[in-house]
Amino acid sequence: MNRRKFLALSGVAAVGATSATVYYQSTKPPKWPLSPKAGFTNNGFDAESTAELVTEGLDLSGKNILVTGCNSGMGYETMRVLAKRGAHVIGTGRTAKKAETACASVGGTTTPLIMELMDPESILKCAADMLALGVPLDGLILNAGISGRPGKKLVHGIEKTFYVNYLGHFLFANKVLPAVEASKQGRIVHVSSSASYSRPTAEGIRFDALGKSDASREYDGWEAYGVSKLANALFSRKLAQKYEGSSVTSNALHPGLVNTNISRGMDWATRTGFTVLGPVIARNVGEGSATHCYAAAHPNMTNVSGHFLFDSNPVSVGGQNNLENDELADRLWAYSEDVFSEYLS
């Protein structure tokens, strides 16, 4: 264990943050051990590999890759690096100013689009604008997201974190799938988290609690975040099954604990902890966005689908989890279609 990983364990435990404890426990085996996925050889990339490193030497000229949440954090770094490698990157932001400013500040070819993931009409407009570009999507990186909140808030009658992190992306992805299908090898990349298996209860997703308060249980913002990230992983799994045998692939990933501004919506103690310890305990955005870029652009991921990635390698997650629960994935898909029935017809 190197010094930074040791500090990650100590510091994150002290402030109540979640992600790093899954991997960096010094006194006992992890509850959810990670192991290389059968059939894959470790490619040599690790926690300190950056997005620039995993794409070094790649020429992405002629590729069109869309990144949601391009204006900050890992989304911005992902856009910057992929554009640097020659890709045309389409970046979405919540406002025109955010998207345009971000796209204008990186080298290479970029196109800004507006998408507010809490607004179905905005999502539909963004999808229509994307399709109007008339280009195939070689990569669709569903990156944008928010952290768990200290109190339950609803968007259109549904828990906010779940709506923003998962449901908005479900609608958007389904609307732009024709562009992904038009690519020679379209890749869909879902940004999940270790919280997808460490935070939800044993049942995974409590659908009956998504739209209302449960008087029998106190609302847990971290659990809500984990549920949304489990939904991302299950969505990826369903798309991989849907496109099995085709040129379209779908994979989910955990980027690690990354020093971004995602903590802005968390409780005071966690925000303070991230402010003070984030630069020391967490990965920088270059390291955090490495797996985004690897999954979306590296030749090693050609026609590789249906996997969960960490440190740019497909991994298996041990312990009790719902990452491969097909019954739950089917229920989630049906639930999501029901939520957006008027928009998906």
Side-chain angles (χ1 to χ4, degrees):
M1 177 181 292
N2 64 33
R3 179 175 179 271
R4 187 173 69 180
K5 290 181 178 180
F6 175 79
L7 288 171
L9 169 64
S10 304
V12 175
V15 300
T18 179
S19 300
T21 58
V22 175
Y23 300 104
Y24 309 135
Q25 299 189 54
S26 61
T27 60
K28 61 183 180 179
K31 189 174 182 181
W32 293 275
L34 300 182
S35 58
K37 194 67 176 283
F40 291 89
T41 301
N42 189 293
N43 55 35
F45 298 130
D46 58 23
E48 297 183 353
S49 298
T50 64
E52 290 211 9
L53 178 63
V54 303
T55 60
E56 189 174 12
L58 298 186
D59 181 1
L60 302 182
S61 301
K63 301 288 187 182
N64 303 290
I65 302 176
L66 187 146
V67 182
T68 68
C70 76
N71 56 286
S72 66
M74 292 182 291
Y76 180 83
E77 179 68 359
T78 297
M79 175 174 69
R80 184 190 72 80
V81 172
L82 294 178
K84 180 178 181 179
R85 302 302 185 216
H88 165 214
V89 183
I90 303 149
T92 79
R94 295 180 61 191
T95 66
K97 181 178 181 180
K98 287 183 176 181
E100 291 168 0
T101 299
C103 286
S105 69
V106 303
T109 304
T110 58
T111 299
L113 293 179
I114 307 166
M115 182 166 64
E116 169 55 76
L117 286 165
M118 290 186 289
D119 181 359
E121 295 299 334
S122 175
I123 295 169
L124 294 179
K125 175 65 165 55
C126 184
D129 290 343
M130 166 60 234
L131 296 176
L133 295 176
V135 298
L137 268 184
D138 302 286
L140 172 60
I141 304 176
L142 305 176
N143 162 80
I146 59 175
S147 64
R149 266 38 186 172
K152 187 169 187 178
K153 296 179 176 62
L154 302 181
V155 173
H156 306 293
I158 297 171
E159 196 277 321
K160 181 177 180 178
T161 311
F162 188 82
Y163 202 102
V164 173
N165 291 357
Y166 164 67
L167 279 173
H169 280 130
F170 176 88
L171 178 59
F172 180 70
N174 273 282
K175 286 297 183 179
V176 300
L177 282 175
V180 180
E181 294 166 354
S183 170
K184 182 178 180 180
Q185 205 274 282
R187 303 183 187 187
I188 308 170
V189 179
H190 307 251
V191 179
S192 182
S193 168
S194 63
S196 65
Y197 49 84
S198 66
R199 284 294 171 173
T201 60
E203 60 194 300
I205 301 174
R206 300 169 58 245
F207 293 95
D208 61 343
L210 286 174
K212 60 183 179 182
S213 297
D214 186 344
S216 66
R217 300 175 72 246
E218 183 178 356
Y219 175 75
D220 184 339
W222 278 117
E223 179 184 324
Y225 178 75
V227 167
S228 74
K229 291 302 182 177
L230 172 59
N232 292 156
L234 292 175
F235 181 31
S236 176
R237 184 171 176 83
K238 285 295 295 181
L239 286 175
Q241 293 170 349
K242 171 184 172 68
Y243 287 107
E244 185 175 4
S246 77
S247 62
V248 175
T249 63
S250 177
N251 294 284
L253 65 88
H254 169 43
L257 179 66
V258 186
N259 187 27
T260 69
N261 63 0
I262 195 171
S263 66
R264 65 187 181 276
M266 298 177 184
D267 59 88
W268 176 87
T270 304
R271 291 199 312 273
T272 301
F274 262 79
T275 299
V276 174
L277 295 173
V280 178
I281 68 174
R283 303 178 185 206
N284 59 48
V285 291
E287 294 163 340
S289 57
T291 307
H292 296 52
C293 294
Y294 183 83
H298 201 281
N300 286 356
M301 291 298 293
T302 303
N303 297 322
V304 174
S305 190
H307 298 289
F308 192 86
L309 280 70
F310 178 61
D311 288 346
S312 300
N313 283 277
V315 295
S316 292
V317 181
Q320 181 179 354
N321 65 78
N322 287 288
L323 293 176
E324 297 182 358
N325 187 332
D326 286 325
E327 180 180 354
L328 185 61
D330 289 340
R331 286 188 62 196
L332 175 65
W333 189 282
Y335 171 88
S336 308
E337 285 189 321
D338 184 61
V339 168
F340 292 123
S341 58
E342 64 180 295
Y343 301 112
L344 292 173
S345 58

